[in-house]
Amino acid sequence: MALFDDEPLKPRRIHEIGQDLSLLSVDELQERIGQLQAEIGRLEGELQAKGSTRQAAEALFRR
């Protein structure tokens, strides 16, 4: 919890790379896999958007 109301809350980490997984249940592992797959999809979407922008810029400057 933030000390003052105007302080932003830090987002809860879903998963930390290299974290000990032995204490997690099957449900917790499945939930993390789903969250990480969603994040991978978000990252791939951003990568694709940046690639499209780059291609458009390269096409513009080739003329």
Side-chain angles (χ1 to χ4, degrees):
M1 181 175 209
L3 184 59
F4 299 103
D5 290 336
D6 58 346
E7 289 183 17
L9 297 175
K10 292 183 180 179
R12 185 178 138 257
R13 279 201 160 153
I14 296 169
H15 181 75
E16 190 170 321
I17 303 299
Q19 179 180 6
D20 180 16
L21 303 176
S22 65
L23 300 176
L24 299 175
S25 69
V26 171
D27 289 339
E28 288 172 321
L29 289 169
Q30 289 174 336
E31 180 182 352
R32 286 181 186 213
I33 288 170
Q35 291 170 338
L36 291 168
Q37 287 172 335
E39 182 65 8
I40 288 169
R42 190 175 77 90
L43 290 166
E44 288 175 338
E46 184 66 21
L47 183 61
Q48 191 172 42
K50 288 182 184 278
S52 297
T53 303
R54 181 179 178 189
Q55 289 174 352
E58 287 176 354
L60 177 67
F61 290 109
R62 280 190 204 146
R63 293 182 174 196

